[in-house]
Amino acid sequence: METATTDKLTAKDFSSDQEVRWCPGCGDYSILKQVQTILPDLGRPREEFVFISGIGCSSRFPYYMDTYGMHSIHGRATAVATGLKATRPDLSVWIVTGDGDSLSIGGNHFIHLLRRNPDVNVLLFNNQIYGLTKGQYSPTSEQGKVTKSTPMGSVDYPFNPIALSLGADATFVARTLDRDPKHQQNVIKKGYYHAGTSLIEIYQNCNVFNDGAFEVYTEKGTKKQNTLMMENGMPLLFGENNELGIKLDGFKPVIANLAETSINDIWVHDETDLVKATILSRFYDDPTVENHFPRPFGVFYVNNNKQTFNDLFNNQIDFAKKTYGAGDLDKLIAGKETWVVN
Amino acid sequence: MTNALDKELESVVIRFAGDSGDGMQLTGTQFTNATALHGNDLATFPDFPAEIRAPLGTLAGVSGFQIHFGSTRINTPGDTSDVLVAMNVAALKVNIKNLKKGGVIIINSDGFDAKNLRLANVPEVQNPLHDGSLADYDVKIIDITKITRAALSNSGLGTKEIDRCKNMFVLGLVYWMYHRPIENTLNFIKAKFKKNEAVMNANILVLQTGWNYGETTEMFANRFTVAPAKMESGVYRSIMGNQAAAYGLIAAANKSGLSLFYGTYPITPASDILHELSKYKNFDVKTFQAEDEIAAICSSIGAAFGGALAITGSSGPGIALKGEAIGLATMLELPLVIVNIQRAGPSTGLPTKTEQADLNQAMFGRNGECPLVIVSAQSPADCFYMAFEACRIALEHMIPVFFLSDGYIANGAEPWKYPSSADLPKINVEFKKARLADEEKFMPYQRDEKLSRPWALPGTKGLEHRIGGLEKQNITGNISYDASNHEFMVKLRQEKVDLVANHIPLQTIDNGEEAGELLILGWGGTYGALKTATSLLIDQGYKVSHAHLRYLNPFPKNLGEMLSRFKTVVVPELNNGQLVKIIRDRYFIDAIPYNKIQGMPFMSTEVVDKIKEILA
Ligand code: SF4
C-alpha cells in the first residue's frame, strides 16, 4: 500500500508495484537498484521526480519507479523531457535511454538536448546491442560485430558517446558501470547536483545478446589493468597496484610507469578542463590490442558556467511580464487599429 | 487640382502584381488596412510565388496580392479583378487572364524593357505595350522607376534603396484613385524606419508623389468612392488567419488559466503563428522552436504532462513526421492541439499554395486505430474561434484535437467584429488534487461521464503514476497485453471521441432553405466562395442551400438528418475527394464530389457553373 506521508523515504518507497521484467542477470537491475538507493538521500519529495524513457529494454525503467513517469516513443524521451522541464522547472526530470534509443533513432534530439542544456539527468544504458528487438548491432557496437542483422560482421564504425557529448557541448559528462554500485551511486549523485544536462553513460551488460561486452572492465583479473578511475584533483593512475599513470607529452597522452616516472609528472585530473576531457574521451581503444590505453570511468567534464535552458527560457517570460505587465487579452484581440460601424 | 470625376462603386477588385522583390505584399497589406479603416467589407488573397527564391523578373517570381472591397458583404477576394497593377512583364503575363475586359492596367514601363521581356520569355516583337494585345483594356503606362528616382535624386540614397520605394508610388496613386486615407501608412512608415530617417523620408515622399501624380496629371478621368459597408454595428479590426489562430490559442490559455506552450518547427505557411505567439511572452506564452517536427510535438507532450495548454503547429509534411507522437498522445489521453495549416502536397508539394488535402491525414494518418477530434476554420477570423474550440475540447475531454486551417485563409484578411474576452466561455480545467493518506490508490485511467481521465500533474503528492504508449488496462493504467482488453480500449477511445458530439453545436444551414433540391456541403477555407456561389444561385431562382462544417470529427449529431432533407448533396473540396468519401461512408448517401486541385481557391463562378450542370 502506498503512503502519502512525508516520513524519510527509503529505497522501497521508490519501487512500484509492477513486476520487474528484465532477463535474469541483466545489468539493468543494478542500475534500478542504485537509483532507488540514492533518491531518498537527495532530500526531495518523491512526487517531484519524473522519469521519462524512450523505447528499448532500458526504457522499461519508469514502470518500476514509484515516481511520475512516462514511457514515450523511440528516441524521443529527450524531447518530451525538454518540454516538461521548460514548463515545470520545479521538477527533477530524468531521462532513461539506451544506445539505440538515444544514439540511433534519437540521435538528433540527443545532441540538441546537450546543446540546450536543460537541467535534466540522462542515464544512458549502453549495452552495445539491441536487446528488445533481440540482438541486432547498435550504433555503439564494435565494428565487425556479428549479430542477427550482420552475419558477416557490421561494417559501421561505432559512436563514442562521451566524445559525441563533449562535441555537443554537454556540461556534465561521466561514465560508470553497472557492476560497480558505489561508483555508480557516486556518479549519478554528482550528476543530479549538477545544474544543467548531466550525461551519464552506464556500461550495462546484456547477458542475453551481448554477454561480457565489458567484462575486461569489471572482472577481477583484468579490471585494474584496463580501467582508469578518474578523481578530480588526483593523478590519473591505474594498474594492479596503481603502478601506471598517464602523462601528457604536449597534447599527447602517454602511459608512464611510476618506477621510471615521478608521481609529480603524472597528469592530475581537472574535470573543468575541456581540452583534457576531450583527450580522455578519446581513450577508446579496443582492449585486446597491445599497448592500449585504459578506459576512463568517472566524471570527464563539468562546466558550471553555462546557464540552463530552463532558466534562460523562463527568464524571458519573467522579463516580459515585468516589463510589459501581465497581458491584456482585450487589448491583444483589438490590436492597434479599429473602426466603428454604427 | 484634378479634373477627375468621382464615381461611386459598390465593390472593386484590385490585384497588385510584381516581382517578389517589388514589395507587392506590403503594398497590398497597407491598402487593406486603409480600406478596413475606411469601413469597407473586404477579403484578400496574397498569392505568393511558388518558388520562394525564384530568379528576378521571371514568371516563377511573380508575387500577387488581391483585394476585394465593397459597400456590401464581401466573401471572397473576387474571381476576376477590375484593376491590375503590373510592375513588370512577367506580372502582366501571369495575371492578365483574370482581369475583366475593359479593366484598368497600371503599368510600370521600366519593367517592360528588353531585359524584362527576355526574363519573362516574351519576344521583343510581342512587347504587350506595343503589339496591340492590350487594346481591350484601359492601360495607364507610367515610368514609375524614373519618377521615383527623380523624386529621390537629392535623398542621398543609392539607386538600390531608391528603387525599393517604387511600391510606395503605386500605393499613393491607388490611395488617390479610391479616396483612401494615407495617415495610416504614414504612421506605419514612421514606425518601421524610425532608425533610418533617410529611408523614412524617401518612402513618405514617394507615397505623396504617387498621390500627387493622380491629382496633377490628366491620366485619370475618374476617381472612385466605395461607401462603407452596411455591416452589423460594432467595433471592427482587420485580421489575418494565422494571426487570429494565435490569438485564439492565447485566449484559450487565458480562459483556462493555463500557460501556453507552443512546440514547433518552422514551415510554410504555419510559421507566422510562431512569429505571432513569440511576441506575447507576457501572456505566459512559451514558444519553443525545436530541432525538428518530432521534437516539436514531443516537447508539447512533455508540457501537457506538466499541465500546460500544449500546442504543436505545422503543415502537412511536418504533420506526417509527427504521426507516431500523435498516436502517443492518444494513448496517454493528454490534451494536445495539433495545428495544421494545409498546403498543396504530397511531399514538399507546392509550399506556398493552398489545398484541403490533409483531411484524410488528420482522420486516418496514424498506425493502429487512432481516432481524434478534428475541427476546421472557415475564414480568417474564424481561425480565432476554432483554435479556441480546439483548445476547449482538448482540455475538457483530455484528448488530442486537430485544428485545420489552410494557406488561403491563413494569409487572407477580413474585417472582424472581434469579441470581448468576457464573451468567451470559460474553459473548465481541474487538476487532480493531492491524495490524502487515507484515500484509495490513485487510478490514472479512471473516467468521468465524458470518458476523460484525470489530469494528475507531476509534483502532486500521492498521485505518482506512469503513462506510456503501450496498451493499458482501463482505470489502473497498468500495461496489459490481454487480447480482449485491447479491443475494449480501442472501442473506448473511439467512444470518447464520439461523445464529444454532445459538447459541440448542431450543424446549421448557412444560406438557403432548410430543405430542398440541392445542398452544397463544404468545410474549411472554401466558405467564402461557396457562400457567394449559393447567393448567386438563389438570386437566379435555384433551390440551393449551403452548409459549412467546422466540426469534422465527430460530426454534429444532426448532420445525417440534415443531409436527408436534400435530394442532392454536393461536396466541393480543394482535394481529390476526401470529405465526400467520409460522408458517403457514414450516411450512405450518393453525395457528389466536386474537386479542384490547382493550389488555388475556388472561384464562385466556377462553383455556380458546376451546380447548374448538376441540376441540369
Ligand atoms: S535483452 Fe539484454 S538488455 Fe534486454 S533485458 Fe535482456 S539482458 Fe537486459
Side-chain angles (χ1 to χ4, degrees):
Chain A
M1 177 70 197
E2 272 181 290
T3 57
T5 61
T6 46
D7 298 345
K8 165 91 170 99
L9 298 165
T10 65
K12 245 185 111 203
D13 291 313
F14 284 95
S15 143
S16 77
D17 58 0
Q18 299 295 297
E19 186 193 335
V20 183
R21 292 231 182 129
W22 287 309
C23 307
C26 173
D28 291 356
Y29 284 94
S30 159
I31 307 172
L32 179 64
K33 176 133 194 286
Q34 307 326 319
V35 172
Q36 288 173 339
T37 304
I38 62 163
L39 289 194
D41 299 342
L42 302 179
R44 231 184 150 123
R46 186 174 57 174
E47 62 268 19
E48 289 184 9
F49 290 100
V50 186
F51 285 81
I52 297 180
S53 63
I55 296 293
C57 291
S58 60
S59 290
R60 286 296 190 106
F61 196 95
Y63 287 119
Y64 309 138
M65 296 291 299
D66 197 1
T67 62
Y68 284 90
M70 188 193 293
H71 180 217
S72 76
I73 45 177
H74 208 7
R76 323 299 175 199
T78 32
V80 173
T82 302
L84 179 61
K85 187 69 187 181
T87 47
R88 293 291 308 277
D90 56 308
L91 300 171
S92 174
V93 178
W94 299 65
I95 294 160
V96 182
T97 181
D99 41 319
D101 193 58
S102 65
L103 300 175
S104 201
I105 194 165
N108 194 28
H109 314 307
F110 181 76
I111 55 175
H112 289 280
L113 176 88
L114 299 177
R115 158 174 89 89
R116 288 197 185 97
N117 196 39
D119 187 10
V120 299
N121 314 303
V122 185
L123 306 180
L124 196 177
F125 295 24
N126 183 3
N127 57 16
Q128 302 187 346
I129 198 80
Y130 281 87
L132 189 70
T133 50
K134 300 196 176 358
Q136 301 82 9
Y137 80 105
S138 92
T140 54
S141 298
E142 64 279 13
Q143 196 189 29
K145 181 136 201 114
V146 174
T147 70
K148 270 189 200 143
S149 61
T150 51
M152 293 173 70
S154 67
V155 299
D156 290 1
Y157 303 103
F159 257 137
N160 172 339
I162 299 290
L164 179 71
S165 303
L166 288 171
D169 281 342
T171 57
F172 181 99
V173 180
R175 181 190 285 138
T176 184
L177 297 132
D178 57 357
R179 293 282 172 87
D180 193 338
K182 278 278 159 284
H183 190 264
Q184 222 190 110
Q185 291 181 16
N186 218 333
V187 166
I188 297 175
K189 259 192 199 168
K190 279 188 189 160
Y192 168 80
Y193 286 113
H194 171 68
T197 305
S198 307
L199 182 277
I200 301 162
E201 181 191 23
I202 308 172
Y203 280 174
Q204 173 248 319
N205 190 42
C206 169
N207 54 311
V208 173
F209 296 108
N210 200 17
D211 196 22
F214 307 109
E215 67 186 0
V216 292
Y217 311 120
T218 56
E219 297 314 304
K220 255 208 163 90
T222 49
K223 181 174 164 177
K224 298 221 152 169
Q225 287 299 323
N226 288 294
T227 61
L228 179 65
M229 306 310 274
M230 303 176 289
E231 283 292 342
N232 196 33
M234 303 297 282
L236 293 171
L237 299 177
F238 69 106
E240 214 49 56
N241 301 301
N242 273 351
E243 73 283 8
L244 301 167
I246 308 293
K247 205 174 77 173
L248 269 180
D249 184 2
F251 284 117
K252 195 171 142 41
V254 271
I255 295 174
N257 196 317
L258 287 184
E260 296 147 20
T261 307
S262 157
I263 182 91
N264 298 326
D265 290 336
I266 298 297
W267 168 355
V268 174
H269 184 46
D270 174 3
E271 58 189 27
T272 65
D273 189 324
L274 178 59
V275 175
K276 288 186 180 163
T278 306
I279 296 171
L280 283 167
S281 76
R282 294 293 170 178
F283 286 19
Y284 205 56
D285 295 340
D286 177 346
T288 61
V289 299
E290 228 171 304
N291 296 326
H292 64 272
F293 277 90
R295 192 70 58 99
F297 293 88
V299 179
F300 286 80
Y301 180 61
V302 183
N303 175 356
N304 289 315
N305 300 320
K306 194 168 155 182
Q307 262 192 288
T308 65
F309 166 73
N310 36 290
D311 279 351
L312 292 165
F313 187 81
N314 287 294
N315 287 351
Q316 288 194 343
I317 306 286
D318 295 342
F319 178 81
K321 284 182 189 164
K322 232 185 261 157
T323 315
Y324 310 110
D328 178 332
L329 185 57
D330 282 300
K331 270 196 192 146
L332 171 78
I333 296 175
K336 291 202 187 90
E337 287 158 354
T338 61
W339 69 95
V340 179
V341 173
N342 292 313
Chain B
M1 193 57 201
T2 178
N3 296 319
L5 295 174
D6 274 345
K7 223 172 149 180
E8 168 131 15
L9 297 174
E10 196 169 82
S11 74
V12 181
V13 177
I14 304 178
R15 191 171 180 95
F16 300 94
D19 194 72
S20 45
D22 283 336
M24 291 296 102
Q25 298 303 327
L26 185 119
T27 308
T29 310
Q30 283 300 309
F31 189 82
T32 303
N33 291 344
T35 297
L37 290 172
H38 178 63
N40 294 128
D41 196 4
L42 63 88
T44 69
F45 176 43
D47 189 12
F48 302 107
E51 285 177 66
I52 311 262
R53 292 269 173 268
L56 235 65
T58 60
L59 300 176
V62 174
S63 175
F65 187 102
Q66 188 162 314
I67 172 168
H68 184 191
F69 59 102
S71 57
T72 55
R73 279 320 299 239
I74 302 293
N75 299 311
T76 76
D79 293 356
T80 53
S81 57
D82 301 291
V83 179
L84 171 64
V85 173
M87 298 299 281
N88 63 14
V89 192
L92 181 80
K93 199 171 159 184
V94 169
N95 292 295
I96 186 93
K97 58 181 182 296
N98 283 323
L99 181 65
K100 281 182 194 140
K101 286 276 171 298
V104 176
I105 311 178
I106 297 171
I107 278 176
N108 174 25
S109 57
D110 183 55
F112 286 70
D113 62 7
K115 187 175 161 210
N116 275 288
L117 287 166
R118 198 177 63 244
L119 287 168
N121 285 328
V122 175
E124 292 252 9
V125 290
Q126 285 174 29
N127 184 341
L129 300 193
H130 310 302
D131 73 348
S133 61
L134 301 180
D136 288 342
Y137 304 97
D138 182 3
V139 185
K140 316 285 188 195
I141 301 175
I142 309 171
D143 194 338
I144 297 173
T145 310
K146 195 168 146 199
I147 296 172
T148 303
R149 286 181 187 171
L152 296 180
S153 58
N154 296 322
S155 66
L157 298 178
T159 315
K160 229 178 156 181
E161 278 171 304
I162 288 176
D163 284 354
R164 246 187 245 141
C165 299
K166 279 186 311 210
N167 60 335
M168 286 297 124
F169 179 92
V170 173
L171 188 59
L173 176 61
V174 183
Y175 276 167
W176 174 84
M177 284 173 71
Y178 292 94
H179 285 282
R180 306 281 103 166
I182 74 168
E183 286 68 32
N184 179 57
T185 296
L186 289 177
N187 291 337
F188 166 81
I189 295 172
K190 283 177 193 159
K192 182 167 169 149
F193 299 113
K194 65 170 180 274
K195 292 208 180 98
N196 191 341
E197 213 165 314
V199 173
M200 179 203 297
N201 292 332
N203 276 282
I204 292 173
L205 182 61
V206 178
L207 182 72
Q208 280 157 346
T209 304
W211 178 286
N212 294 342
Y213 189 86
E215 186 83 358
T216 52
T217 63
E218 302 274 305
M219 187 178 265
F220 296 87
N222 294 104
R223 288 176 84 182
F224 305 94
T225 57
V226 180
K230 287 164 266 324
M231 297 199 278
E232 218 180 294
S233 66
V235 189
Y236 285 75
R237 62 163 293 164
S238 172
I239 190 94
M240 287 166 68
N242 274 348
Q243 195 183 19
Y247 295 170
L249 299 175
I250 295 174
N254 179 287
K255 285 288 173 173
S256 58
L258 301 180
S259 79
L260 187 160
F261 181 88
Y262 188 69
T264 191
Y265 184 77
I267 186 168
T268 303
S271 304
D272 281 337
I273 296 180
L274 168 63
H275 305 159
E276 197 62 30
L277 287 174
S278 64
K279 292 184 209 160
Y280 303 112
K281 295 188 169 40
N282 62 323
F283 283 78
D284 215 13
V285 170
K286 297 164 182 172
T287 56
F288 176 57
Q289 182 178 319
E291 59 272 22
D292 64 22
E293 296 282 2
I294 299 171
I297 183 169
C298 287
S299 65
S300 298
I301 290 173
F305 189 40
L309 167 55
I311 299 154
T312 187
S314 189
S315 187
I319 301 295
L321 284 166
K322 294 181 196 293
E324 186 193 10
I326 297 174
L328 175 68
T330 304
M331 287 296 255
L332 300 180
E333 302 190 40
L334 281 171
L336 176 72
V337 172
I338 306 136
V339 173
N340 180 357
I341 313 298
Q342 300 165 93
R343 65 190 217 188
S347 186
T348 309
L350 301 168
T352 61
K353 301 294 172 185
T354 199
E355 206 161 87
Q356 299 183 292
D358 296 346
L359 176 59
N360 281 347
Q361 183 190 42
M363 197 73 103
F364 309 112
R366 291 158 300 282
N367 65 305
E369 295 290 350
C370 189
L372 41 68
V373 178
I374 307 170
V375 302
S376 80
Q378 63 187 24
S379 74
D382 195 43
C383 289
F384 176 87
Y385 299 104
M386 294 320 281
F388 186 93
E389 269 295 84
C391 298
R392 179 188 69 82
I393 296 170
L395 293 168
E396 292 186 347
H397 295 257
M398 291 290 283
I399 203 168
V401 178
F402 253 110
F403 165 71
L404 299 180
S405 169
D406 62 56
Y408 169 63
I409 55 175
N411 290 311
E414 67 177 340
W416 179 33
K417 187 184 160 189
Y418 56 89
S420 92
S421 65
D423 298 340
L424 299 169
K426 184 176 169 346
I427 297 176
N428 299 306
V429 174
E430 219 180 296
F431 299 129
K432 182 83 181 162
K433 297 217 174 49
R435 185 170 61 93
L436 304 171
D438 55 356
E439 265 180 278
E440 293 277 289
K441 189 172 181 317
F442 170 62
M443 295 292 165
Y445 282 76
Q446 188 72 261
R447 296 173 191 281
D448 65 9
E449 72 289 348
K450 298 190 299 265
L451 294 182
S452 72
R453 71 178 194 88
W455 200 357
L457 306 191
T460 316
K461 210 174 190 35
L463 304 184
E464 291 83 357
H465 68 283
R466 278 65 57 193
I467 52 179
L470 285 170
E471 187 58 280
K472 50 193 51 58
Q473 211 174 38
N474 196 27
I475 317 289
T476 67
N478 290 335
I479 299 170
S480 167
Y481 296 120
D482 181 73
S484 54
N485 175 70
H486 176 53
E487 182 164 320
F488 174 81
M489 289 302 284
V490 165
K491 301 249 188 219
L492 186 145
R493 286 186 288 264
Q494 178 66 54
E495 194 187 343
K496 186 176 165 183
V497 171
D498 296 341
L499 284 177
V500 170
N502 294 333
H503 304 268
I504 59 173
L506 292 177
Q507 184 61 41
T508 55
I509 298 281
D510 185 79
N511 196 359
E513 302 290 330
E514 290 294 317
E517 203 67 33
L518 184 144
L519 177 72
I520 299 175
L521 181 67
W523 70 279
T526 56
Y527 174 73
L530 300 184
K531 187 180 179 72
T532 304
T534 308
S535 296
L536 289 170
L537 286 160
I538 292 171
D539 287 348
Q540 293 170 33
Y542 290 93
K543 286 212 167 323
V544 171
S545 302
H546 171 210
H548 213 76
L549 289 168
R550 296 153 89 212
Y551 298 86
L552 294 160
N553 201 36
F555 286 129
K557 284 197 286 190
N558 62 332
L559 181 62
E561 185 273 325
M562 172 185 287
L563 298 178
S564 70
R565 285 187 256 129
F566 292 87
K567 261 194 218 145
T568 306
V569 174
V570 180
V571 183
E573 295 177 88
L574 300 175
N575 59 36
N576 205 22
Q578 300 195 359
L579 175 66
V580 71
K581 292 200 185 83
I582 300 169
I583 292 288
R584 290 174 72 111
D585 171 62
R586 195 72 56 85
Y587 301 108
F588 308 111
I589 60 166
D590 191 12
I592 300 172
Y594 168 39
N595 308 103
K596 177 173 179 178
I597 321 159
Q598 301 170 13
M600 299 292 276
F602 277 121
M603 294 200 278
S604 339
T605 46
E606 63 193 8
V607 177
V608 166
D609 292 347
K610 180 71 190 182
I611 299 299
K612 284 183 184 168
E613 183 193 308
I614 291 169
L615 286 172

